[in-house]
Amino acid sequence: MAEGLGLREVGKSDFVLLDEISIESFMNNLKLRFQKGKIYTYVGEVVVSVNPYRTMDIYGPDTVKQYQGREFYECPPHLFAIGDAAYKSMKRQSKDTCIVISGESGAGKTEASKIIMRYIAAVTNVSQRQEVERVKNILLQTNCILEAFGNAKTNRNDNSSRFGKYMDINFDFKGDPIGGHINNYLLEKSRVVSQQPGERNFHSFYQLLSGAPDPQLKKMHLSRSPQVYTYTCPSQQESNPGPFPISDKAEFKAVQTAMKSVGFTREEYATVYSIIAAILHLGNVEFLAEDEDSCEVANQDALAAAAELLSTTEEELTKALCFRVVAARGEVMTKGHTQQQACYGRDAFAKAIYEHLFTWIVSRINDVIAVKSTRHQHGKDTVIGVLDIYGFEIFDNNNLEQLCINYCNEKLQQLFIELVLKQEQEEYQREGITWTNIDYFNNKIICDLVEQPHKGIIAILDEACLSVGNITDKMFLQAMNQKLSNHEHYSSRQLVPTDKTLEHSRDFRIRHYAGNVTYSVEGFIDKNKDDLFQDFKRLLYNSTDPVISAMWPEGKLSITEVTKRPLTACTLFKNSMIQLVSNLASKVPYYVRCIKPNEQKSPVLFDNQRCQHQVEYLGLLENVRVRRAGFCNRQHYGRFLQRYKMISQYTWPNHRLASDQAAVQVLVQEKGFKHDVAYGKTKIFIRTPQTLYQLEENRAKLIPGIVLFIQKMWRGGIARMRARKMRAIYLIMRRYRQYKMRSFLVDLLDRFHDVRNMADYGKSVAWPRPPAVLDEFVAQLRKAHNGWWARHIIAQIPERDRKEVRLKSIAYGKLNRQRKDWGMNQRWRGNYLGLSEDIQKAKLFNNSLNTLVAHDKFREVLFSAHVKKVNHHNKSSDRALLVTDKFLYKLDPKKGYKAMKQGTPISQVTGLSVTPGQDQLIIVHLAGGNDLVLCVTAIMPRHDQRVPELMAVLCDAHKRGNKKDLKVTVSDRLQCMLGNKNRTVTVRSHDKGAGVTFRKDGNAGLVLVGTGSSQ
């Protein structure tokens, strides 16, 4: 269901939904999904994982979010789903959970466990607490360390776990990891001294040789080539293991970083790799036979290097390798070893050193990640266990290790079937559904064959190991043949003489649930005894390195102390398996079944026979039958309605019935499925996959329309929300503008409320800065205020002076501060000729004026003065200028101020030009193209200014008559038109006594010489 049970899924995402429950249909579905890149498939709540042998982009943060908090069937099958299910069950129900990962070597168990741990780390500690983050990082880093010292390259897997690992992750009441604990099982220590052809020793040896810096190797007396050392290049190797796809050098650095992160001290780190180096040197130690009962070390260099690295002396190490101290009836004797015994002791010593090192590393990690107990603890701490343990093994030569590994898988398979059946039965009883008995293969009989007291294989082997005398492996086989002759799952050549695949006096066969496995008894006795002379234990306990000494606490017993016979290797393993199974049975289990698709590690090849064998021994088909025995699917009523309510008019969009169960019943009856379902107390149970397909098909037809409807409503909702926001924004803006305007106006009123009583009528009051929206209003307001202010100021001026003040204000505005002295402080009299002190001249001017008034009917004389004029022939002449309210006249002073021509209307004046200096030059621009170029003369007092007054008079008269402002140009170089020709007029100081005159300056220039105040 996780991929949606529509037609678009690849095969069946859940094997329970297969139309036919057979090995053929199971394999076809598994193969189809593998070929389409779907490496995960469900069997109910069990994840079947096929090793893809390639990197897949399905584990990133986006995928984590996709599975976090979702139900099992809501997303495609994935390891994240089972990790989330275990975490949710642990957090919601405060129950301990465990995830059991099984499969054969190379099926991807270790990678699966790391993926699950990374997922759990990603979804926890949302509050980012430092201590929780530290624990998470350590839990993730432990994988790197344990893989280096516990994994090796085998013919089936480049990174095969050669030990079983069960990790408990402890969580606090909030669901954050606060610690953990690791248990390791049955390290394959025999690999230290010998490997199958094409395989390697543990990674740690090669990582040291490849990754350690040269000074460190020199200090350890090592060379980089593994071929130099017996334990990394044994003589029985028929072929070179070939290049290793993982960089040992890079992994060495990664392990360094991980050990530092976990908390290994520098001294501990140095000791760990000193022990690895010591084992390599120990493997190169050879012996020469002195006589039948003694031997000596043949190469002292290797022995000396090993002794130095183990922090002991050459003499003590030689004595432990070549002699054995025996205590008998209180007497201590030294007994020499034969060459064969010394080699056996050396190898046993090397295996024991590595095993003790690995156990110490695990215990050291456990010390670091142990849950810190506090007095103030809230709620209950819970646990998620992750079991990554070796899968079922069938080799050409199977020995005691394979028997223990396969016995472990038998125990886990027994637990798997029992717990699955138990869960099914409990769920049926809880929901009030009738339980149907299911026939399945119960492998308890095989477990008993191995572990039963007094009768099982382990008991028979222990008895042989404890017997006095020289008990051989053949004698052990004979004992099994006698006691197990009637067992249907045990056979040997003696019991079945016709079976020539079994060797006489060597082989026996067990019919496991996964298939028949033939075991060779050679080495069973020695491996089970796992003898290590006490001399070696005392040797390393007395090492001067405190880390090495702490690894061998059993060495503190003196030679004369009598100790209890230790338990055999198989008994220890059996006890640990019983404890492990008991621990798992107390938790809510989740399962990952890993499958290896081919032996070539190809991402495209699917070996049907190989995969079918794994499916059979993993019991996956039995699991499907268990899930399908009653009902193929079950869901809570609420979840069922949430998924299928749209297919019924009575439940869409929400039902109004008494309960969810009643609503589900109405929906099922409407669709005609009532005979294929059963109703529990909280769940609906669906019997056949066809009903589920019909429900999904009906749902799939309606989903597009619902999606469009939701999109429409969503878009409408978004648009309405945006509209409400915009209206709110505009309202806020409007209210804010009102507030700003109100604040501005209140401030303005406060500042100007008493301006009538101020001396300057508010001229000195600073205007507050208005809001942008009031800029135009404030400009008009300031204009109005200026007018009001001006009226009040003018009201204070005497009536006779108002005209003069108005003209001066016009001049001030037009000159715009470009002329420094413009006559502001002098009296402007206007009609200077009529008011002249020369009575004779005044009389002549007034007579001429009366004649002009009678002729032209003007009402007022605005300005009159003597001027120097220049014409288009560059000829200068003395004239008088008369400005009235209508006309501008040129008068001839020599002829009694007679008008020389008709007056020029004021309306024909187009502009004025003056200089910024003290001269009295002014150009009156006329519409006819023949401008008046004038210099006011005969000024008394001498330093008075007449030009600004004349300019103001002309501007005022022009505006009154034409309602337009005259343009006034202020410049050092004035442009004009004389005789329709462009001329440039400038001012230059005249020679002393030369008077005022215009002179030609080049072809198109005139220059005024003199200041205009001398005549």
Side-chain angles (χ1 to χ4, degrees):
M1 285 184 61
E3 293 175 3
L5 294 174
L7 301 175
R8 290 175 293 177
E9 68 171 337
V10 177
K12 298 294 186 292
S13 60
D14 192 333
F15 287 110
V16 175
L17 302 178
L18 289 172
D19 297 329
E20 178 188 0
I21 305 302
S22 64
I23 190 65
E24 291 79 14
S25 60
F26 190 102
M27 294 306 300
N28 289 338
N29 189 59
L30 186 68
K31 181 177 182 179
L32 174 63
R33 289 181 63 78
F34 173 75
Q35 291 174 338
K36 296 297 184 180
K38 305 293 183 181
I39 63 172
Y40 299 121
T41 313
Y42 291 143
V43 178
E45 292 187 351
V46 176
V47 175
V48 179
S49 170
V50 183
N51 192 339
Y53 286 118
R54 60 189 171 96
T55 302
M56 302 191 72
D57 187 22
I58 56 173
Y59 306 106
D62 292 339
T63 312
V64 170
K65 292 179 182 178
Q66 182 182 351
Y67 283 86
Q68 187 174 358
R70 304 292 291 274
E71 294 299 325
F72 220 71
Y73 57 83
E74 291 181 338
C75 295
H78 201 289
L79 288 174
F80 287 173
I82 204 166
D84 192 72
Y87 180 69
K88 281 190 304 186
S89 177
M90 178 273 300
K91 189 174 181 181
R92 292 176 180 174
Q93 305 173 21
S94 294
K95 291 183 178 179
D96 292 345
T97 60
C98 65
I99 301 173
V100 180
I101 306 171
S102 57
E104 70 171 42
S105 178
K109 300 185 299 298
T110 300
E111 282 302 313
S113 69
K114 290 193 287 188
I115 290 168
I116 291 172
M117 286 182 62
R118 285 202 299 270
Y119 176 80
I120 293 173
V123 300
T124 55
N125 194 28
V126 292
S127 58
Q128 293 293 312
R129 287 192 297 156
Q130 185 175 356
E131 176 61 19
V132 174
E133 202 66 22
R134 182 189 72 86
V135 172
K136 279 169 48 176
N137 291 335
I138 291 175
L139 290 173
L140 295 176
Q141 293 287 355
T142 56
N143 289 317
C144 178
I145 300 171
L146 295 178
E147 284 183 19
F149 293 92
N151 288 23
K153 178 185 182 300
T154 66
N155 290 322
R156 292 187 171 187
N157 186 1
D158 290 333
N159 190 32
S160 176
S161 297
R162 306 318 299 162
F163 71 105
K165 179 181 72 174
Y166 175 75
M167 174 182 282
D168 269 334
I169 307 173
N170 297 81
F171 297 83
D172 62 14
F173 72 100
K174 299 190 300 301
D176 288 333
I178 56 175
H181 188 272
I182 299 171
N183 289 320
N184 61 296
Y185 302 98
L186 195 66
L187 177 70
E188 190 190 22
K189 59 183 179 181
S190 61
R191 180 170 292 273
V192 174
V193 299
S194 64
Q195 304 95 43
Q196 296 288 336
E199 297 188 350
R200 299 203 319 173
N201 208 324
F202 292 101
H203 294 329
S204 55
F205 293 100
Y206 305 93
Q207 289 173 3
L208 173 63
L209 296 178
S210 296
D214 291 333
Q216 184 178 356
L217 288 183
K218 184 177 181 181
K219 185 177 179 181
M220 294 179 175
H221 312 289
L222 294 175
S223 64
R224 292 209 177 270
S225 174
Q227 311 299 323
V228 176
Y229 305 102
T230 304
Y231 288 164
T232 53
C233 186
S235 58
Q236 68 266 28
Q237 284 273 18
E238 296 178 2
S239 61
N240 191 298
F244 188 53
I246 302 172
S247 170
D248 290 316
K249 185 174 182 179
E251 288 299 310
F252 179 79
K253 292 181 180 178
V255 173
Q256 269 187 311
T257 303
M259 293 180 75
K260 184 177 180 181
S261 299
V262 169
F264 284 80
T265 66
R266 184 176 298 180
E267 292 75 17
E268 290 172 336
Y269 168 82
T271 299
V272 166
Y273 282 104
S274 292
I275 292 173
I276 297 295
I279 293 173
L280 290 174
H281 287 299
L282 200 60
N284 284 3
V285 174
E286 297 177 355
F287 302 95
L288 293 175
E290 293 182 332
D291 52 41
E292 294 180 357
D293 297 326
S294 63
C295 67
E296 64 179 1
V297 175
N299 48 342
Q300 288 293 329
D301 291 343
L303 184 134
E308 178 186 339
L309 292 166
L310 293 174
S311 298
T312 186
T313 63
E314 293 183 43
E315 294 77 11
E316 290 173 338
L317 182 56
T318 301
K319 184 177 179 182
L321 288 171
C322 298
F323 300 91
R324 179 184 180 188
V325 178
V326 181
R329 297 178 181 178
E331 294 184 7
V332 178
M333 298 178 293
T334 301
K335 180 183 177 183
H337 287 319
T338 64
Q339 184 182 22
Q340 182 179 358
Q341 289 173 333
C343 291
Y344 173 83
R346 175 202 62 198
D347 290 345
F349 186 35
K351 291 187 291 184
I353 292 174
Y354 197 84
E355 182 184 35
H356 278 67
L357 171 63
F358 187 76
T359 303
W360 177 84
I361 290 174
V362 173
S363 66
R364 183 71 180 81
I365 293 173
N366 284 335
D367 291 341
V368 175
I369 62 175
V371 178
K372 305 293 188 296
S373 58
T374 59
R375 291 188 301 172
H376 305 289
Q377 191 165 343
H378 305 279
K380 176 189 175 185
D381 289 350
T382 46
V383 167
I384 293 180
V386 180
L387 178 65
D388 172 16
I389 205 160
Y390 12 64
F392 202 87
E393 292 188 348
I394 304 176
F395 297 142
D396 295 333
N397 181 24
N398 302 291
N399 49 41
L400 185 62
E401 285 88 355
Q402 277 67 52
L403 177 64
C404 291
I405 288 172
N406 293 340
Y407 159 66
C408 168
N409 280 270
E410 291 283 359
K411 293 290 289 183
L412 293 177
Q413 177 66 12
Q414 181 186 14
L415 176 69
F416 172 66
I417 294 296
E418 287 180 355
L419 289 180
V420 168
L421 286 173
K422 181 181 177 183
Q423 286 177 334
E424 287 285 305
Q425 186 173 1
E426 286 178 351
E427 184 173 29
Y428 278 45
Q429 291 173 350
R430 193 166 54 246
E431 295 292 329
I433 305 295
T434 303
W435 170 254
T436 304
N437 287 324
I438 301 171
D439 293 330
Y440 67 97
F441 172 68
N442 189 343
N443 64 338
K444 183 178 184 300
I445 187 173
I446 302 174
C447 295
D448 289 342
L449 170 64
V450 178
E451 70 180 10
Q452 189 175 14
H454 310 300
K455 297 180 181 179
I457 293 174
I458 292 178
I460 298 171
L461 180 58
D462 284 351
E463 184 180 349
C465 292
L466 298 175
S467 299
V468 179
N470 187 18
I471 305 300
T472 64
D473 295 324
K474 293 180 181 179
M475 296 169 66
F476 159 63
L477 180 59
Q478 291 172 1
M480 284 198 299
N481 290 336
Q482 291 174 4
K483 295 184 178 182
L484 303 174
S485 58
N486 296 324
H487 200 290
E488 59 180 317
H489 290 272
Y490 174 86
S491 63
S492 68
R493 187 64 180 272
Q494 181 178 341
L495 300 178
V496 187
T498 57
D499 189 353
K500 295 184 178 180
T501 59
L502 299 172
E503 284 286 334
H504 278 293
S505 303
R506 190 192 74 178
D507 296 343
F508 68 94
R509 179 174 295 142
I510 296 178
R511 185 153 58 90
H512 289 280
Y513 79 93
N516 297 334
V517 182
T518 301
Y519 298 96
S520 170
V521 297
E522 292 179 353
F524 266 53
I525 298 291
D526 288 339
K527 289 180 179 179
N528 191 44
K529 285 182 178 179
D530 197 21
D531 282 337
L532 180 67
F533 300 139
Q534 189 71 19
D535 305 71
F536 292 121
K537 299 176 183 178
R538 285 195 298 272
L539 172 70
L540 294 186
Y541 176 75
N542 292 317
S543 170
T544 58
D545 188 321
V547 178
I548 296 177
S549 179
M551 295 179 189
W552 294 85
E554 63 269 37
K556 65 181 178 181
L557 298 177
S558 66
I559 189 61
T560 57
E561 290 185 75
V562 178
T563 58
K564 190 177 179 180
R565 183 185 292 270
L567 296 176
T568 61
C570 286
T571 298
L572 289 171
F573 184 72
K574 180 188 74 171
N575 294 341
S576 65
M577 283 299 103
I578 293 173
Q579 182 181 3
L580 173 64
V581 169
S582 175
N583 188 13
L584 296 177
S586 67
K587 295 175 170 60
V588 178
Y590 294 87
Y591 294 94
V592 178
R593 301 304 212 187
C594 298
I595 292 178
K596 184 178 183 179
N598 57 75
E599 292 292 343
Q600 289 74 30
K601 304 168 187 173
S602 166
V604 296
L605 182 61
F606 187 89
D607 188 334
N608 263 68
Q609 184 178 356
R610 191 83 187 79
C611 292
Q612 182 173 332
H613 174 69
Q614 296 173 73
V615 168
E616 289 172 347
Y617 80 64
L618 287 171
L620 295 179
L621 205 58
E622 285 78 4
N623 190 13
V624 175
R625 290 195 178 103
V626 168
R627 295 285 296 187
R628 280 285 294 273
F631 300 89
C632 74
N633 184 266
R634 69 287 318 263
Q635 295 184 45
H636 287 280
Y637 291 123
R639 288 283 181 180
F640 184 88
L641 277 177
Q642 184 178 352
R643 188 166 184 84
Y644 301 114
K645 64 181 180 179
M646 70 288 296
I647 69 175
S648 171
Q649 60 180 330
Y650 302 107
T651 56
W652 178 257
N654 295 298
H655 71 84
R656 298 184 178 180
L657 299 172
S659 64
D660 286 348
Q661 181 177 354
V664 170
Q665 289 177 344
V666 169
L667 185 152
V668 170
Q669 289 173 5
E670 181 186 356
K671 296 303 175 183
F673 301 137
K674 63 180 181 179
H675 300 297
D676 200 38
V677 300
Y679 302 101
K681 295 177 181 178
T682 63
K683 295 181 180 180
I684 178 175
F685 290 75
I686 302 174
R687 195 178 307 279
T688 62
Q690 285 73 23
T691 298
L692 206 57
Y693 294 147
Q694 288 289 330
L695 289 169
E696 283 291 328
E697 189 174 347
N698 291 338
R699 177 179 181 271
K701 290 178 181 177
L702 295 173
I703 286 296
I706 294 174
V707 169
L708 290 176
F709 175 76
I710 292 173
Q711 288 178 342
K712 180 181 74 174
M713 298 304 294
W714 174 254
R715 292 190 183 108
I718 291 294
R720 286 188 291 275
M721 186 187 305
R722 186 179 293 117
R724 285 195 297 270
K725 286 182 178 179
M726 292 303 296
R727 282 196 291 269
I729 289 170
Y730 288 135
L731 177 60
I732 292 170
M733 291 170 61
R734 184 168 67 250
R735 293 294 173 84
Y736 180 71
R737 282 198 297 266
Q738 291 173 354
Y739 161 75
K740 294 292 287 185
M741 288 189 291
R742 190 180 300 111
S743 299
F744 170 75
L745 292 176
V746 169
D747 188 16
L748 194 64
L749 290 174
D750 288 342
R751 296 187 185 205
F752 285 88
H753 77 285
D754 199 28
V755 290
R756 289 182 181 273
N757 299 321
M758 293 182 183
D760 62 352
Y761 295 100
K763 186 67 174 178
S764 61
V765 176
W767 285 70
R769 184 175 181 180
V773 70
L774 293 180
D775 283 343
E776 185 176 351
F777 167 75
V778 171
Q780 296 297 325
L781 192 62
R782 295 189 73 159
K783 186 175 180 181
H785 174 263
N786 290 338
W788 175 85
W789 172 83
R791 284 193 299 275
H792 279 73
I793 295 298
I794 292 173
Q796 298 177 11
I797 301 173
E799 185 67 29
R800 65 179 184 276
D801 296 331
R802 289 182 183 178
K803 179 180 179 182
E804 182 181 347
V805 170
R806 180 164 55 82
L807 291 174
K808 286 182 178 180
S809 67
I810 292 172
Y812 176 80
K814 292 296 184 179
L815 292 174
N816 195 21
R817 298 184 181 180
Q818 295 183 69
R819 185 164 177 137
K820 185 175 181 181
D821 185 7
W822 52 275
M824 181 185 72
N825 297 321
Q826 70 186 50
R827 296 287 296 178
W828 286 9
R829 299 166 63 188
N831 188 6
Y832 292 98
L833 294 180
L835 300 175
S836 174
E837 295 179 357
D838 188 339
I839 298 174
Q840 183 64 29
K841 289 183 178 180
K843 184 177 179 180
L844 292 173
F845 173 75
N846 288 325
N847 292 334
S848 178
L849 182 62
N850 291 332
T851 304
L852 290 174
V853 169
H855 184 269
D856 293 334
K857 310 298 183 184
F858 56 82
R859 295 188 300 275
E860 183 181 7
V861 175
L862 301 179
F863 183 86
S864 64
H866 288 102
V867 298
K868 179 74 76 172
K869 174 185 172 295
V870 65
N871 61 16
H872 62 280
H873 297 295
N874 302 325
K875 181 179 179 182
S876 297
S877 56
D878 293 324
R879 295 285 184 265
L881 179 68
L882 173 64
V883 180
T884 68
D885 57 336
K886 292 183 178 180
F887 298 100
L888 187 149
Y889 299 93
K890 293 181 289 183
L891 307 177
D892 188 351
K894 295 178 180 181
K895 296 182 181 181
Y897 296 99
K898 182 180 179 180
M900 300 182 66
K901 291 182 180 180
Q902 291 185 350
T904 303
I906 296 294
S907 60
Q908 291 189 14
V909 179
T910 60
L912 302 171
S913 295
V914 296
T915 67
Q918 300 298 309
D919 58 86
Q920 299 301 304
L921 175 66
I922 184 169
I923 299 175
V924 181
H925 301 283
L926 301 176
N930 196 23
D931 300 335
L932 290 177
V933 180
L934 309 171
C935 177
V936 181
T937 60
I939 297 173
M940 296 301 290
R942 183 185 181 94
H943 297 292
D944 278 2
Q945 296 287 323
R946 296 284 187 266
V947 165
E949 183 179 359
L950 174 59
M951 177 192 71
V953 166
L954 289 172
C955 288
D956 183 46
H958 188 274
K959 187 168 184 179
R960 288 186 181 189
N962 298 287
K963 310 300 181 184
K964 292 181 181 179
D965 284 329
L966 274 180
K967 180 181 178 183
V968 176
T969 303
V970 181
S971 174
D972 290 325
R973 298 175 64 82
L974 304 182
Q975 304 295 324
C976 66
M977 296 286 291
L978 290 176
N980 291 321
K981 292 182 181 180
N982 286 321
R983 298 292 182 94
T984 301
V985 182
T986 58
V987 177
R988 185 169 68 226
S989 297
H990 67 287
D991 296 335
K992 187 174 182 180
V996 178
T997 187
F998 288 96
R999 293 178 182 173
K1000 185 177 180 181
D1001 184 18
N1003 294 329
L1006 288 172
V1007 58
L1008 174 65
V1009 179
T1011 62
S1013 60
S1014 62
Q1015 293 183 9

